[in-house]
Amino acid sequence: MRLLVLTLAFVLSAAVPAAAPAAAVHAAVPDRAVTDTARTAPTFNGTVHAVAYLGTTVYVGGSFTRAHWGGRNWPRERLAAFDSRTGALLSWAPTADGTVRALAAAPGAVYVAGDFHRIAGKRRDSLARLNPNGNPLTPFRHFLAGTPYALAIGNGRLYLGGKFSVVSGRRQSNLAAFDLATGRLDPRWRPVADDRVQTLAAVGGRVFVGGAFRGIGGDRTAARLAAVDAGSGALDRTFRPAVSAEVNDIAVDGSGVYAATGGQGGRAVAFRLDGRPRWQRVFDGDTTAITLAGGIAYVGGHFDRVCRTARNGPHGSCLDGSVPRVKLAAITTAGSLTTWNPRANGVIGVRVLSTDPATGSLDAGGDFTTIGGQIRPRFARF
């Protein structure tokens, strides 16, 4: 890949999780995982929906048509890539004719899902596999009746979630899986979600599923957040969380599952691996993204404040006071709000948060145009 030049990032140092009870209100604690000083990375002229990583390359997808880098604009039709070490925009530039909503990467392949019908000049219906050089990999070609929202890789499979009913002529209710080696739809993995799947995380022998569904396989106890077997698709009944609103994003580590939800004001909720609650934080607007870095949960969304207690009212208003956190916040593993407060602008704010395994950097994408008063259209590195 050819480097083009330099624009934005925030860097990780060592993290020390703060110990605090998980109940509603605590003073903000210092966050030593992520700084709020901008470094270099490209920015974009339209919404960023998705980020994925392969080695030292960061792949970005969304509705943008240009990337800004090195003092000039570069054509990038809804897909772009940059070097994670320098922030330099790369020459990888396949074109998509519709919004890219999800990305996932594995050695030799970048998987793309969204609203497109052509990608890199080839007919592809909502789902494609690209070479890291940008050309389509032809054996992988499927047709989707509906809209995809989420991709995850694990256990030799590509997992797909969304709002769809048919994949390549086979009935698949909002969930599907493909063999990474052959590209074929896996006929054995057929869990049935009764409504939209918004987010997926493949960890070990389980695939965690979040969204607007009210049941999986007819089981109404598996509403909005559930786990299924990574090989068979069978509902894992050892994970039984209770979630009251649509799950927009999830993150998983050895301690449990973290969910960003909507509802009457958004929530960031942490569960143990059996689904028992650990802590929750309440916001005055939806939370739409969550990721983990250095023992800290980073949350993004439409919110402007974090409520001091779990009590909120109409339009998510905090009834017992609040702490300003505009579109971004950070929470310790014990549920305490940290002092990290970079402040993104806009109504929608942040749509995606992701942690780069190569550098430890935290990437944020969405509809914002400034971070901490600095001009950072639709993408920032922390």
Side-chain angles (χ1 to χ4, degrees):
M1 291 185 186
R2 179 172 57 87
L3 293 182
L4 296 174
V5 209
L6 283 185
T7 325
L8 154 209
F10 295 74
V11 193
L12 298 177
S13 55
V16 181
V25 191
H26 304 288
V29 298
D31 169 20
R32 294 197 290 270
V34 170
T35 72
D36 51 11
T37 303
R39 285 182 58 202
T40 58
T43 58
F44 299 91
N45 73 332
T47 302
V48 170
H49 286 277
V51 180
Y53 308 96
L54 188 60
T56 57
T57 300
V58 183
Y59 296 92
V60 182
S63 61
F64 51 83
T65 57
R66 295 191 307 276
H68 186 79
W69 173 250
R72 60 166 287 189
N73 292 320
W74 303 86
R76 290 295 184 272
E77 297 283 339
R78 302 171 185 90
L79 286 165
F82 68 91
D83 188 294
S84 65
R85 299 158 300 183
T86 65
L89 186 69
L90 300 174
S91 61
W92 189 84
T95 61
D97 67 355
T99 298
V100 170
R101 298 190 178 279
L103 293 170
V110 179
Y111 295 92
V112 185
D115 300 332
F116 52 84
H117 300 291
R118 295 186 70 85
I119 194 162
K122 302 292 185 181
R123 175 75 179 178
R124 291 294 185 272
D125 183 38
S126 304
L127 188 63
R129 184 172 70 180
L130 299 174
N131 267 313
N133 68 11
N135 296 324
L137 292 172
T138 54
F140 188 81
R141 187 171 184 177
H142 296 278
F143 300 93
L144 201 68
T147 303
Y149 291 106
L151 293 171
I153 289 176
N155 307 286
R157 294 176 177 86
L158 173 73
Y159 298 99
L160 173 70
K163 178 67 172 175
F164 53 82
S165 57
V166 176
V167 179
S168 294
R170 181 179 296 148
R171 286 203 63 82
Q172 299 276 162
S173 296
N174 306 313
L175 287 162
F178 307 86
D179 186 285
L180 287 181
T182 67
R184 296 192 187 108
L185 182 65
D186 186 339
R188 298 170 299 165
W189 201 82
R190 300 182 72 180
V192 175
D194 64 5
D195 204 342
R196 183 176 66 253
V197 171
Q198 188 72 32
T199 177
L200 297 169
V203 181
R206 298 197 279 188
V207 179
F208 294 91
V209 183
F213 54 88
R214 295 185 178 275
I216 290 185
D219 190 331
R220 290 288 179 152
T221 66
R224 305 178 187 91
L225 180 60
V228 298
D229 186 271
S232 69
L235 181 64
D236 184 343
R237 290 182 169 82
T238 66
F239 179 66
R240 303 181 71 88
V243 184
S244 60
E246 178 176 353
V247 172
N248 296 313
D249 197 18
I250 51 179
V252 184
D253 66 8
S255 301
V257 180
Y258 304 78
T261 79
Q264 182 176 295
R267 282 168 166 73
V269 189
F271 300 94
R272 293 179 173 85
L273 290 172
D274 61 4
R276 288 180 295 159
R278 291 168 52 206
W279 52 259
Q280 73 168 333
R281 301 296 311 206
V282 178
F283 299 75
D284 69 347
D286 287 357
T287 63
T288 55
I290 193 164
T291 193
L292 304 168
I296 304 291
Y298 293 89
V299 183
H302 313 329
F303 55 84
D304 295 321
R305 296 179 174 277
V306 183
C307 300
R308 291 187 177 275
T309 73
R311 293 193 333 119
N312 63 357
H315 310 295
S317 58
C318 302
L319 299 180
D320 299 312
S322 62
V323 180
R325 291 291 184 275
V326 183
K327 310 303 188 285
L328 288 161
I331 303 165
T332 72
T333 53
S336 295
L337 186 67
T338 78
T339 56
W340 188 73
N341 186 21
R343 304 178 315 282
N345 72 337
V347 176
I348 301 299
V350 174
R351 291 181 184 264
V352 58
L353 288 173
S354 192
T355 307
D356 182 355
T359 64
S361 297
L362 174 70
D363 291 320
D367 296 270
F368 55 85
T369 57
T370 66
I371 292 276
Q374 297 180 322
I375 297 173
R376 293 292 184 263
R378 286 99 186 178
F379 187 82
R381 299 208 97 193
F382 298 92

PDB file of all heavy atoms in Angstrom, residues 164-195:
ATOM      1  N   PHE A 164     -32.943  -9.205   8.231  1.00  0.00           N
ATOM      2  CA  PHE A 164     -33.081  -9.878   6.944  1.00  0.00           C
ATOM      3  C   PHE A 164     -33.810 -11.200   7.142  1.00  0.00           C
ATOM      4  O   PHE A 164     -33.895 -11.728   8.257  1.00  0.00           O
ATOM      5  CB  PHE A 164     -31.725 -10.094   6.270  1.00  0.00           C
ATOM      6  CG  PHE A 164     -30.689 -10.777   7.119  1.00  0.00           C
ATOM      7  CD1 PHE A 164     -30.654 -12.156   7.259  1.00  0.00           C
ATOM      8  CD2 PHE A 164     -29.723 -10.033   7.785  1.00  0.00           C
ATOM      9  CE1 PHE A 164     -29.697 -12.780   8.036  1.00  0.00           C
ATOM     10  CE2 PHE A 164     -28.757 -10.649   8.573  1.00  0.00           C
ATOM     11  CZ  PHE A 164     -28.736 -12.028   8.697  1.00  0.00           C
ATOM     12  N   SER A 165     -34.328 -11.742   6.053  1.00  0.00           N
ATOM     13  CA  SER A 165     -35.109 -12.977   6.120  1.00  0.00           C
ATOM     14  C   SER A 165     -34.560 -14.094   5.249  1.00  0.00           C
ATOM     15  O   SER A 165     -34.865 -15.268   5.483  1.00  0.00           O
ATOM     16  CB  SER A 165     -36.566 -12.701   5.724  1.00  0.00           C
ATOM     17  OG  SER A 165     -36.617 -12.123   4.424  1.00  0.00           O
ATOM     18  N   VAL A 166     -33.771 -13.736   4.224  1.00  0.00           N
ATOM     19  CA  VAL A 166     -33.247 -14.731   3.295  1.00  0.00           C
ATOM     20  C   VAL A 166     -31.797 -14.399   2.962  1.00  0.00           C
ATOM     21  O   VAL A 166     -31.459 -13.230   2.738  1.00  0.00           O
ATOM     22  CB  VAL A 166     -34.083 -14.771   1.990  1.00  0.00           C
ATOM     23  CG1 VAL A 166     -33.474 -15.742   0.978  1.00  0.00           C
ATOM     24  CG2 VAL A 166     -35.527 -15.159   2.279  1.00  0.00           C
ATOM     25  N   VAL A 167     -30.946 -15.421   2.954  1.00  0.00           N
ATOM     26  CA  VAL A 167     -29.565 -15.279   2.499  1.00  0.00           C
ATOM     27  C   VAL A 167     -29.322 -16.334   1.426  1.00  0.00           C
ATOM     28  O   VAL A 167     -29.442 -17.538   1.688  1.00  0.00           O
ATOM     29  CB  VAL A 167     -28.558 -15.447   3.650  1.00  0.00           C
ATOM     30  CG1 VAL A 167     -27.129 -15.326   3.121  1.00  0.00           C
ATOM     31  CG2 VAL A 167     -28.805 -14.424   4.753  1.00  0.00           C
ATOM     32  N   SER A 168     -29.022 -15.879   0.214  1.00  0.00           N
ATOM     33  CA  SER A 168     -28.740 -16.779  -0.909  1.00  0.00           C
ATOM     34  C   SER A 168     -29.796 -17.869  -1.060  1.00  0.00           C
ATOM     35  O   SER A 168     -29.490 -19.051  -1.229  1.00  0.00           O
ATOM     36  CB  SER A 168     -27.345 -17.378  -0.761  1.00  0.00           C
ATOM     37  OG  SER A 168     -26.360 -16.368  -0.873  1.00  0.00           O
ATOM     38  N   GLY A 169     -31.058 -17.477  -0.974  1.00  0.00           N
ATOM     39  CA  GLY A 169     -32.164 -18.389  -1.195  1.00  0.00           C
ATOM     40  C   GLY A 169     -32.584 -19.212   0.000  1.00  0.00           C
ATOM     41  O   GLY A 169     -33.580 -19.944  -0.064  1.00  0.00           O
ATOM     42  N   ARG A 170     -31.888 -19.110   1.115  1.00  0.00           N
ATOM     43  CA  ARG A 170     -32.225 -19.885   2.311  1.00  0.00           C
ATOM     44  C   ARG A 170     -32.808 -18.961   3.372  1.00  0.00           C
ATOM     45  O   ARG A 170     -32.281 -17.880   3.614  1.00  0.00           O
ATOM     46  CB  ARG A 170     -30.989 -20.594   2.852  1.00  0.00           C
ATOM     47  CG  ARG A 170     -31.261 -21.452   4.080  1.00  0.00           C
ATOM     48  CD  ARG A 170     -30.002 -22.157   4.547  1.00  0.00           C
ATOM     49  NE  ARG A 170     -29.538 -23.078   3.534  1.00  0.00           N
ATOM     50  CZ  ARG A 170     -28.255 -23.375   3.311  1.00  0.00           C
ATOM     51  NH1 ARG A 170     -27.312 -22.791   4.024  1.00  0.00           N
ATOM     52  NH2 ARG A 170     -27.918 -24.237   2.376  1.00  0.00           N
ATOM     53  N   ARG A 171     -33.853 -19.386   4.030  1.00  0.00           N
ATOM     54  CA  ARG A 171     -34.438 -18.587   5.099  1.00  0.00           C
ATOM     55  C   ARG A 171     -33.464 -18.505   6.273  1.00  0.00           C
ATOM     56  O   ARG A 171     -33.020 -19.515   6.803  1.00  0.00           O
ATOM     57  CB  ARG A 171     -35.771 -19.183   5.573  1.00  0.00           C
ATOM     58  CG  ARG A 171     -36.915 -18.953   4.591  1.00  0.00           C
ATOM     59  CD  ARG A 171     -38.272 -19.033   5.277  1.00  0.00           C
ATOM     60  NE  ARG A 171     -38.444 -17.984   6.283  1.00  0.00           N
ATOM     61  CZ  ARG A 171     -38.817 -16.739   6.027  1.00  0.00           C
ATOM     62  NH1 ARG A 171     -39.021 -16.341   4.783  1.00  0.00           N
ATOM     63  NH2 ARG A 171     -38.957 -15.870   6.997  1.00  0.00           N
ATOM     64  N   GLN A 172     -33.153 -17.289   6.652  1.00  0.00           N
ATOM     65  CA  GLN A 172     -32.283 -16.996   7.803  1.00  0.00           C
ATOM     66  C   GLN A 172     -32.885 -15.793   8.494  1.00  0.00           C
ATOM     67  O   GLN A 172     -32.954 -14.721   7.893  1.00  0.00           O
ATOM     68  CB  GLN A 172     -30.860 -16.688   7.358  1.00  0.00           C
ATOM     69  CG  GLN A 172     -30.149 -17.796   6.614  1.00  0.00           C
ATOM     70  CD  GLN A 172     -29.511 -18.818   7.525  1.00  0.00           C
ATOM     71  OE1 GLN A 172     -29.193 -19.926   7.100  1.00  0.00           O
ATOM     72  NE2 GLN A 172     -29.312 -18.474   8.778  1.00  0.00           N
ATOM     73  N   SER A 173     -33.288 -15.956   9.722  1.00  0.00           N
ATOM     74  CA  SER A 173     -33.984 -14.895  10.445  1.00  0.00           C
ATOM     75  C   SER A 173     -33.005 -14.031  11.231  1.00  0.00           C
ATOM     76  O   SER A 173     -32.746 -14.264  12.411  1.00  0.00           O
ATOM     77  CB  SER A 173     -35.052 -15.485  11.366  1.00  0.00           C
ATOM     78  OG  SER A 173     -36.039 -16.134  10.610  1.00  0.00           O
ATOM     79  N   ASN A 174     -32.419 -13.055  10.526  1.00  0.00           N
ATOM     80  CA  ASN A 174     -31.614 -11.993  11.136  1.00  0.00           C
ATOM     81  C   ASN A 174     -30.245 -12.431  11.630  1.00  0.00           C
ATOM     82  O   ASN A 174     -29.494 -11.601  12.144  1.00  0.00           O
ATOM     83  CB  ASN A 174     -32.397 -11.321  12.270  1.00  0.00           C
ATOM     84  CG  ASN A 174     -33.748 -10.824  11.803  1.00  0.00           C
ATOM     85  OD1 ASN A 174     -33.854 -10.190  10.757  1.00  0.00           O
ATOM     86  ND2 ASN A 174     -34.798 -11.131  12.549  1.00  0.00           N
ATOM     87  N   LEU A 175     -29.895 -13.695  11.469  1.00  0.00           N
ATOM     88  CA  LEU A 175     -28.581 -14.209  11.831  1.00  0.00           C
ATOM     89  C   LEU A 175     -28.145 -15.231  10.794  1.00  0.00           C
ATOM     90  O   LEU A 175     -28.959 -16.017  10.307  1.00  0.00           O
ATOM     91  CB  LEU A 175     -28.593 -14.870  13.211  1.00  0.00           C
ATOM     92  CG  LEU A 175     -28.698 -13.942  14.423  1.00  0.00           C
ATOM     93  CD1 LEU A 175     -29.132 -14.718  15.660  1.00  0.00           C
ATOM     94  CD2 LEU A 175     -27.352 -13.252  14.673  1.00  0.00           C
ATOM     95  N   ALA A 176     -26.833 -15.226  10.468  1.00  0.00           N
ATOM     96  CA  ALA A 176     -26.294 -16.204   9.535  1.00  0.00           C
ATOM     97  C   ALA A 176     -24.801 -16.343   9.791  1.00  0.00           C
ATOM     98  O   ALA A 176     -24.185 -15.496  10.448  1.00  0.00           O
ATOM     99  CB  ALA A 176     -26.553 -15.788   8.089  1.00  0.00           C
ATOM    100  N   ALA A 177     -24.209 -17.412   9.260  1.00  0.00           N
ATOM    101  CA  ALA A 177     -22.768 -17.630   9.382  1.00  0.00           C
ATOM    102  C   ALA A 177     -22.231 -18.211   8.081  1.00  0.00           C
ATOM    103  O   ALA A 177     -22.933 -18.946   7.367  1.00  0.00           O
ATOM    104  CB  ALA A 177     -22.457 -18.561  10.552  1.00  0.00           C
ATOM    105  N   PHE A 178     -20.976 -17.890   7.779  1.00  0.00           N
ATOM    106  CA  PHE A 178     -20.314 -18.342   6.561  1.00  0.00           C
ATOM    107  C   PHE A 178     -18.980 -18.975   6.926  1.00  0.00           C
ATOM    108  O   PHE A 178     -18.276 -18.495   7.819  1.00  0.00           O
ATOM    109  CB  PHE A 178     -20.087 -17.167   5.610  1.00  0.00           C
ATOM    110  CG  PHE A 178     -21.325 -16.376   5.319  1.00  0.00           C
ATOM    111  CD1 PHE A 178     -21.723 -15.329   6.160  1.00  0.00           C
ATOM    112  CD2 PHE A 178     -22.110 -16.675   4.227  1.00  0.00           C
ATOM    113  CE1 PHE A 178     -22.864 -14.600   5.896  1.00  0.00           C
ATOM    114  CE2 PHE A 178     -23.263 -15.946   3.950  1.00  0.00           C
ATOM    115  CZ  PHE A 178     -23.639 -14.914   4.785  1.00  0.00           C
ATOM    116  N   ASP A 179     -18.621 -20.030   6.215  1.00  0.00           N
ATOM    117  CA  ASP A 179     -17.337 -20.681   6.423  1.00  0.00           C
ATOM    118  C   ASP A 179     -16.229 -19.798   5.846  1.00  0.00           C
ATOM    119  O   ASP A 179     -16.274 -19.419   4.671  1.00  0.00           O
ATOM    120  CB  ASP A 179     -17.345 -22.049   5.744  1.00  0.00           C
ATOM    121  CG  ASP A 179     -16.104 -22.850   6.044  1.00  0.00           C
ATOM    122  OD1 ASP A 179     -15.040 -22.524   5.463  1.00  0.00           O
ATOM    123  OD2 ASP A 179     -16.189 -23.789   6.843  1.00  0.00           O
ATOM    124  N   LEU A 180     -15.229 -19.455   6.664  1.00  0.00           N
ATOM    125  CA  LEU A 180     -14.170 -18.569   6.198  1.00  0.00           C
ATOM    126  C   LEU A 180     -13.345 -19.207   5.099  1.00  0.00           C
ATOM    127  O   LEU A 180     -12.862 -18.524   4.188  1.00  0.00           O
ATOM    128  CB  LEU A 180     -13.259 -18.176   7.361  1.00  0.00           C
ATOM    129  CG  LEU A 180     -13.807 -17.188   8.390  1.00  0.00           C
ATOM    130  CD1 LEU A 180     -12.747 -16.903   9.438  1.00  0.00           C
ATOM    131  CD2 LEU A 180     -14.261 -15.893   7.746  1.00  0.00           C
ATOM    132  N   ALA A 181     -13.158 -20.535   5.155  1.00  0.00           N
ATOM    133  CA  ALA A 181     -12.309 -21.212   4.175  1.00  0.00           C
ATOM    134  C   ALA A 181     -12.982 -21.317   2.814  1.00  0.00           C
ATOM    135  O   ALA A 181     -12.350 -21.101   1.776  1.00  0.00           O
ATOM    136  CB  ALA A 181     -11.934 -22.599   4.687  1.00  0.00           C
ATOM    137  N   THR A 182     -14.272 -21.636   2.796  1.00  0.00           N
ATOM    138  CA  THR A 182     -14.968 -21.867   1.530  1.00  0.00           C
ATOM    139  C   THR A 182     -15.833 -20.697   1.091  1.00  0.00           C
ATOM    140  O   THR A 182     -16.191 -20.591  -0.084  1.00  0.00           O
ATOM    141  CB  THR A 182     -15.867 -23.115   1.636  1.00  0.00           C
ATOM    142  OG1 THR A 182     -16.936 -22.836   2.564  1.00  0.00           O
ATOM    143  CG2 THR A 182     -15.072 -24.323   2.103  1.00  0.00           C
ATOM    144  N   GLY A 183     -16.210 -19.831   2.017  1.00  0.00           N
ATOM    145  CA  GLY A 183     -17.120 -18.741   1.713  1.00  0.00           C
ATOM    146  C   GLY A 183     -18.577 -19.149   1.687  1.00  0.00           C
ATOM    147  O   GLY A 183     -19.458 -18.312   1.482  1.00  0.00           O
ATOM    148  N   ARG A 184     -18.870 -20.431   1.929  1.00  0.00           N
ATOM    149  CA  ARG A 184     -20.247 -20.911   1.839  1.00  0.00           C
ATOM    150  C   ARG A 184     -21.054 -20.568   3.088  1.00  0.00           C
ATOM    151  O   ARG A 184     -20.523 -20.527   4.191  1.00  0.00           O
ATOM    152  CB  ARG A 184     -20.263 -22.427   1.637  1.00  0.00           C
ATOM    153  CG  ARG A 184     -19.638 -22.904   0.348  1.00  0.00           C
ATOM    154  CD  ARG A 184     -19.955 -24.365   0.094  1.00  0.00           C
ATOM    155  NE  ARG A 184     -19.220 -24.861  -1.064  1.00  0.00           N
ATOM    156  CZ  ARG A 184     -18.190 -25.689  -1.017  1.00  0.00           C
ATOM    157  NH1 ARG A 184     -17.769 -26.148   0.155  1.00  0.00           N
ATOM    158  NH2 ARG A 184     -17.587 -26.083  -2.124  1.00  0.00           N
ATOM    159  N   LEU A 185     -22.337 -20.365   2.881  1.00  0.00           N
ATOM    160  CA  LEU A 185     -23.279 -20.209   3.983  1.00  0.00           C
ATOM    161  C   LEU A 185     -23.302 -21.495   4.793  1.00  0.00           C
ATOM    162  O   LEU A 185     -23.426 -22.593   4.233  1.00  0.00           O
ATOM    163  CB  LEU A 185     -24.664 -19.897   3.431  1.00  0.00           C
ATOM    164  CG  LEU A 185     -25.791 -19.643   4.429  1.00  0.00           C
ATOM    165  CD1 LEU A 185     -25.523 -18.379   5.240  1.00  0.00           C
ATOM    166  CD2 LEU A 185     -27.125 -19.522   3.685  1.00  0.00           C
ATOM    167  N   ASP A 186     -23.174 -21.389   6.110  1.00  0.00           N
ATOM    168  CA  ASP A 186     -23.157 -22.566   6.988  1.00  0.00           C
ATOM    169  C   ASP A 186     -24.595 -23.014   7.223  1.00  0.00           C
ATOM    170  O   ASP A 186     -25.362 -22.318   7.893  1.00  0.00           O
ATOM    171  CB  ASP A 186     -22.484 -22.205   8.311  1.00  0.00           C
ATOM    172  CG  ASP A 186     -22.284 -23.399   9.225  1.00  0.00           C
ATOM    173  OD1 ASP A 186     -22.989 -24.416   9.049  1.00  0.00           O
ATOM    174  OD2 ASP A 186     -21.433 -23.335  10.127  1.00  0.00           O
ATOM    175  N   PRO A 187     -24.999 -24.191   6.718  1.00  0.00           N
ATOM    176  CA  PRO A 187     -26.394 -24.614   6.859  1.00  0.00           C
ATOM    177  C   PRO A 187     -26.759 -25.056   8.268  1.00  0.00           C
ATOM    178  O   PRO A 187     -27.946 -25.157   8.599  1.00  0.00           O
ATOM    179  CB  PRO A 187     -26.503 -25.790   5.875  1.00  0.00           C
ATOM    180  CG  PRO A 187     -25.120 -26.339   5.813  1.00  0.00           C
ATOM    181  CD  PRO A 187     -24.196 -25.167   5.961  1.00  0.00           C
ATOM    182  N   ARG A 188     -25.753 -25.298   9.118  1.00  0.00           N
ATOM    183  CA  ARG A 188     -26.027 -25.788  10.483  1.00  0.00           C
ATOM    184  C   ARG A 188     -26.299 -24.650  11.452  1.00  0.00           C
ATOM    185  O   ARG A 188     -26.988 -24.839  12.452  1.00  0.00           O
ATOM    186  CB  ARG A 188     -24.843 -26.611  10.994  1.00  0.00           C
ATOM    187  CG  ARG A 188     -24.534 -27.856  10.181  1.00  0.00           C
ATOM    188  CD  ARG A 188     -23.204 -28.443  10.629  1.00  0.00           C
ATOM    189  NE  ARG A 188     -22.126 -27.474  10.420  1.00  0.00           N
ATOM    190  CZ  ARG A 188     -20.914 -27.576  10.980  1.00  0.00           C
ATOM    191  NH1 ARG A 188     -20.648 -28.574  11.813  1.00  0.00           N
ATOM    192  NH2 ARG A 188     -19.987 -26.666  10.737  1.00  0.00           N
ATOM    193  N   TRP A 189     -25.740 -23.486  11.161  1.00  0.00           N
ATOM    194  CA  TRP A 189     -25.828 -22.367  12.125  1.00  0.00           C
ATOM    195  C   TRP A 189     -27.029 -21.509  11.752  1.00  0.00           C
ATOM    196  O   TRP A 189     -26.942 -20.629  10.894  1.00  0.00           O
ATOM    197  CB  TRP A 189     -24.539 -21.545  12.092  1.00  0.00           C
ATOM    198  CG  TRP A 189     -24.325 -20.743  13.338  1.00  0.00           C
ATOM    199  CD1 TRP A 189     -23.796 -21.165  14.515  1.00  0.00           C
ATOM    200  CD2 TRP A 189     -24.634 -19.352  13.524  1.00  0.00           C
ATOM    201  NE1 TRP A 189     -23.755 -20.135  15.421  1.00  0.00           N
ATOM    202  CE2 TRP A 189     -24.260 -19.013  14.849  1.00  0.00           C
ATOM    203  CE3 TRP A 189     -25.194 -18.368  12.710  1.00  0.00           C
ATOM    204  CZ2 TRP A 189     -24.422 -17.733  15.372  1.00  0.00           C
ATOM    205  CZ3 TRP A 189     -25.362 -17.084  13.227  1.00  0.00           C
ATOM    206  CH2 TRP A 189     -24.979 -16.772  14.540  1.00  0.00           C
ATOM    207  N   ARG A 190     -28.159 -21.783  12.391  1.00  0.00           N
ATOM    208  CA  ARG A 190     -29.404 -21.099  12.002  1.00  0.00           C
ATOM    209  C   ARG A 190     -30.239 -20.684  13.220  1.00  0.00           C
ATOM    210  O   ARG A 190     -31.416 -21.023  13.331  1.00  0.00           O
ATOM    211  CB  ARG A 190     -30.228 -21.986  11.082  1.00  0.00           C
ATOM    212  CG  ARG A 190     -29.515 -22.353   9.804  1.00  0.00           C
ATOM    213  CD  ARG A 190     -30.377 -23.196   8.894  1.00  0.00           C
ATOM    214  NE  ARG A 190     -31.453 -22.413   8.295  1.00  0.00           N
ATOM    215  CZ  ARG A 190     -32.340 -22.921   7.453  1.00  0.00           C
ATOM    216  NH1 ARG A 190     -32.289 -24.202   7.138  1.00  0.00           N
ATOM    217  NH2 ARG A 190     -33.287 -22.154   6.930  1.00  0.00           N
ATOM    218  N   PRO A 191     -29.652 -19.930  14.162  1.00  0.00           N
ATOM    219  CA  PRO A 191     -30.494 -19.401  15.237  1.00  0.00           C
ATOM    220  C   PRO A 191     -31.508 -18.416  14.661  1.00  0.00           C
ATOM    221  O   PRO A 191     -31.235 -17.736  13.666  1.00  0.00           O
ATOM    222  CB  PRO A 191     -29.495 -18.696  16.157  1.00  0.00           C
ATOM    223  CG  PRO A 191     -28.332 -18.377  15.281  1.00  0.00           C
ATOM    224  CD  PRO A 191     -28.262 -19.465  14.261  1.00  0.00           C
ATOM    225  N   VAL A 192     -32.680 -18.347  15.269  1.00  0.00           N
ATOM    226  CA  VAL A 192     -33.753 -17.500  14.761  1.00  0.00           C
ATOM    227  C   VAL A 192     -33.994 -16.352  15.736  1.00  0.00           C
ATOM    228  O   VAL A 192     -34.480 -16.552  16.856  1.00  0.00           O
ATOM    229  CB  VAL A 192     -35.051 -18.310  14.576  1.00  0.00           C
ATOM    230  CG1 VAL A 192     -36.192 -17.397  14.165  1.00  0.00           C
ATOM    231  CG2 VAL A 192     -34.837 -19.412  13.534  1.00  0.00           C
ATOM    232  N   ALA A 193     -33.637 -15.147  15.328  1.00  0.00           N
ATOM    233  CA  ALA A 193     -33.959 -13.939  16.096  1.00  0.00           C
ATOM    234  C   ALA A 193     -35.198 -13.319  15.492  1.00  0.00           C
ATOM    235  O   ALA A 193     -35.299 -13.187  14.268  1.00  0.00           O
ATOM    236  CB  ALA A 193     -32.793 -12.957  16.060  1.00  0.00           C
ATOM    237  N   ASP A 194     -36.166 -12.916  16.339  1.00  0.00           N
ATOM    238  CA  ASP A 194     -37.463 -12.464  15.820  1.00  0.00           C
ATOM    239  C   ASP A 194     -37.501 -10.984  15.442  1.00  0.00           C
ATOM    240  O   ASP A 194     -38.543 -10.477  15.049  1.00  0.00           O
ATOM    241  CB  ASP A 194     -38.582 -12.803  16.796  1.00  0.00           C
ATOM    242  CG  ASP A 194     -38.464 -12.081  18.129  1.00  0.00           C
ATOM    243  OD1 ASP A 194     -37.553 -11.223  18.269  1.00  0.00           O
ATOM    244  OD2 ASP A 194     -39.268 -12.367  19.030  1.00  0.00           O
ATOM    245  N   ASP A 195     -36.379 -10.295  15.549  1.00  0.00           N
ATOM    246  CA  ASP A 195     -36.301  -8.897  15.114  1.00  0.00           C
ATOM    247  C   ASP A 195     -34.834  -8.553  14.908  1.00  0.00           C
ATOM    248  O   ASP A 195     -33.948  -9.420  15.034  1.00  0.00           O
ATOM    249  CB  ASP A 195     -36.968  -7.971  16.134  1.00  0.00           C
ATOM    250  CG  ASP A 195     -37.438  -6.641  15.530  1.00  0.00           C
ATOM    251  OD1 ASP A 195     -36.963  -6.284  14.423  1.00  0.00           O
ATOM    252  OD2 ASP A 195     -38.268  -5.954  16.149  1.00  0.00           O
TER     253      ASP A 195
END
